Amino acid sequence: MDDLIVLWQGHPQLSLRRFAQYASVPYWRLRDYQHNALARCAKQQHRDALYEKVRQAALQHPTSGYRMLYQELKSQGEQIGQHKIRVALGDLNLHPPLPRKTRKPSPKVSVPQDWPEGRRVQIDATRLSLPDGVCWIYFVLDVTSRVVLASRVVRSLSMHLAKLTLDEAVIVLRAQGHHEAILVQSDGGSDFTSDLF
């Protein structure tokens, strides 16, 4: 709209109404825009002054967010809301850097040589999709031979059924003459980390 007003001012022989016809713009829009020029200029000056205050405060406190800057400007007697400060920081590209998240140290993984003695078995749950829903299969495998010692199909995961499947695998091992301690390997599923299991 500013370009149209400048173009019209370059043709003083044309009235604003005639220029609006040539420019295919409603006359009332050009008229109102021209009449509000002073108010618009004053509003822009007020915005620029406000942004400058926010910029100075943000540069003095580079790690503070808009809430802290609001408190700072309020203590200086500035009448400015938190939303305006947040918008100004965005327009000025002065958002404070986000705090870096500290990564938790990885748990120490024990090497197989440090594992307790015993016959190692592995239990896992595999999800199967069926036409009428899903089901799970608990498998208990002998790690050395990779033989399935016990398995159970269940409709949902359960710490009780997981323990029952493991107990059946232990009975199979005992029946085959393996009476040493048993070392159970599993993932971190809730059914394998419960107190019962």
Side-chain angles (χ1 to χ4, degrees):
M1 199 66 73
D2 285 330
D3 295 339
L4 288 176
I5 295 296
V6 171
L7 185 60
W8 170 67
Q9 290 173 348
H11 298 80
Q13 71 278 11
L14 292 176
S15 67
L16 186 60
R17 188 179 297 276
R18 179 59 58 88
F19 178 80
Q21 290 176 352
Y22 288 150
S24 300
V25 177
Y27 164 70
W28 60 267
R29 184 172 293 173
L30 284 176
R31 180 200 62 206
D32 292 349
Y33 191 81
Q34 183 189 19
H35 288 319
N36 294 331
L38 291 177
R40 238 184 2 265
C41 183
K43 185 177 181 180
Q44 183 63 36
Q45 289 177 353
H46 176 72
R47 177 182 175 275
D48 291 344
L50 182 69
Y51 274 33
E52 181 60 24
K53 292 174 183 176
V54 172
R55 189 178 74 85
Q56 291 297 333
L59 292 177
Q60 291 176 1
H61 307 279
T63 60
S64 297
Y66 70 93
R67 291 185 180 91
M68 294 294 293
L69 294 179
Y70 167 74
Q71 296 295 335
E72 176 67 23
L73 291 170
K74 186 178 178 182
S75 67
Q76 298 174 9
E78 298 293 340
Q79 298 295 325
I80 179 173
Q82 292 184 7
H83 177 69
K84 286 186 177 180
I85 294 175
R86 188 169 59 228
V87 171
L89 289 173
D91 292 344
L92 295 171
N93 293 321
L94 289 176
H95 285 297
L98 294 175
R100 295 190 61 174
K101 293 182 179 179
T102 57
R103 181 173 293 180
K104 293 181 180 179
S106 300
K108 183 181 178 181
V109 178
S110 58
V111 295
Q113 291 81 4
D114 297 335
W115 291 353
E117 293 293 331
R119 184 84 177 193
R120 289 192 292 144
V121 297
Q122 178 177 343
I123 185 169
D124 198 5
T126 302
R127 183 180 185 272
L128 297 178
S129 296
L130 302 176
D132 61 340
V134 298
C135 71
W136 299 82
I137 302 179
Y138 283 118
F139 287 104
V140 181
L141 296 99
D142 180 47
V143 173
T144 304
S145 63
R146 303 307 292 171
V147 171
V148 177
L149 299 172
S151 64
R152 180 180 302 274
V153 178
V154 296
R155 274 296 183 181
S156 60
L157 298 176
S158 165
M159 57 185 174
H160 298 281
L161 295 176
K163 180 182 180 299
L164 188 60
T165 309
L166 181 63
D167 290 342
E168 291 177 0
V170 172
I171 292 173
V172 171
L173 280 177
R174 298 297 185 234
Q176 293 180 355
H178 301 288
H179 298 286
E180 67 266 34
I182 295 177
L183 177 62
V184 181
Q185 300 176 179
S186 69
D187 59 18
S190 59
D191 44 349
F192 303 140
T193 57
S194 63
D195 292 337
L196 174 67
F197 188 84

